[in-house]
Amino acid sequence: MRKQAESRRPKRRPMQRRGRGRVAIPTWSGRYRTGMDFGYQEGLRTGQNSFGTYFEGTSIIIPNYNQVEYLKLCITSISKFTHPPYEIIVVDNASTDGAAAYLATLGSAVRYRVLETNRGFAGAINVGMMMARGSYLLLLNNDTIVAENWLSNMLACLNSSPAIGMVGPVTNYISGDQRIEVPYKTVKGMPNFARQHNAPNPARWQRTDRLTGFCLLMRREVWEKTGFMDEGFTVGNYEDDDYNIRVRLQGYSLIIARDTFIHHFGSVSMKALGERLPVVNDHNMHVYMDKWGNPHDLVHVVKGMGHESSAAGETAFFPQHVIVRGGHETFYWIEEGIRRPIVGPVAVPATRLSRVELRRWPVGEPISSEEAVAKWHGVTVEGLPWSEGLMGRGTDGMLYMLENGLRRRVVSSKAAEGWHLVWKPSSPLLAEQVAALPEGLPIIAPIRTAEHL
């Protein structure tokens, strides 16, 4: 009996000798950490190797903040009513209501990121845009419920013409032309109404000047030309209006797909701000007006110039003869549509841009910091009565950059400050001489994004 009892005792793991000491075989927790490290490195290599490859489908990007119950309804409806290929990306703004725990239960059905701080609507959307792998990007509020044919109808509308930049549906609760009256009293009656409403019908597509951000669909190409949302709009509101103008300036049109209805509970995260809501809204309205002035007039002026969307995208509205940088320490001199890495310390101000914006300019030969700074102060061009890249005032009192024989209007003080144009030397030309020059595309303000984008 004693021998049988001894045989049942767990045997001690042997110790491996190495020289005079002993080395223990790794414990279970040690092997777990080793496996986790190996898995992380393998995942990192896979991600790096697949960077820039996309699937023929839609990345549905949902920002979330302390609305886990609405988020559950939204994701459930997507799973039930979405037939074209898609992925769901949720970016959570440091919620405290259990959203992270809920997302962790969804497995591979949802890709998600939980941020350490609340970066607002634009900040969360930008993280989702960076994560997206689809050939289409769709921005969707967490307090929405989608219905039959919702995505297929919107895709049909978007793909009906390359001139269409973004498409949005109609809904029961929103400002502007996308709101419609609905017969149902509770959300339970929505699916039957939406099923009848969402019969595909191109005759019901309507051009508009404004699409609200509760549901926006665009091609990846349009996103690459336009870039991230402006995080200068805090918390939420007006960042979608800003994005509308940036897309329209490139010559794209905006379309309401009136054959597509989704339910919208109505800005639940913004309403949760309570007394702070008017303050946030007023701040963002002033940011928008200070940035654009009269944006719709600007769109019509650019349209009158015959400008259409090009490979340069929004970069066509950025100035030349400036210094920019990305998230790293490399600074670039911008000239003739090329970004040239600057070698040496830079003694003039640089504008910070996202990687999406930077890569629209092909990389040229390096340039010394001394030459870049000299060019920044103005380059003399034979046959021109001024140095290229200088600033001048027109008879209208507006600030212009003189570039390639053209005068380019700086649309606002925010644009002048954002590109540091107020620090550039002034042209010797009189206002009448500036006004007599042919007009080029206006210069718009750069957007604000997080440093890592």
Side-chain angles (χ1 to χ4, degrees), residues 242 245-246 249 288-295 297-299 301-302 305 317-319 391 393 396-401 408-417 419 421 439-446:
D242 177 83
I245 297 301
R246 292 163 58 195
L249 276 175
Y288 179 79
M289 296 305 297
D290 290 345
K291 179 177 179 178
W292 292 110
N294 187 340
D297 179 64
L298 184 66
V299 169
V301 167
V302 171
M305 294 178 178
F317 299 90
F318 293 173
M391 310 305 299
R393 293 279 178 184
D396 56 2
M398 297 293 295
L399 184 65
Y400 290 87
M401 174 177 265
R408 299 188 60 194
R409 177 159 63 100
V410 183
V411 302
S412 65
S413 59
K414 276 194 172 293
E417 293 165 5
W419 295 107
L421 302 182
E439 188 167 5
L441 291 177
I443 294 172
I444 66 174

Side-chain angles (χ1 to χ4, degrees), residues 27 45 61 63 116 191 310 325 417:
T27 62
R45 283 192 294 272
I61 302 166
E116 294 180 358
S310 64
R325 69 174 183 89
E417 293 165 5

Side-chain angles (χ1 to χ4, degrees), residues 331-345:
F331 288 69
Y332 298 94
W333 170 250
I334 306 301
E335 184 178 11
E336 297 180 357
I338 302 292
R339 58 182 164 110
R340 301 178 62 185
I342 298 175
V343 179

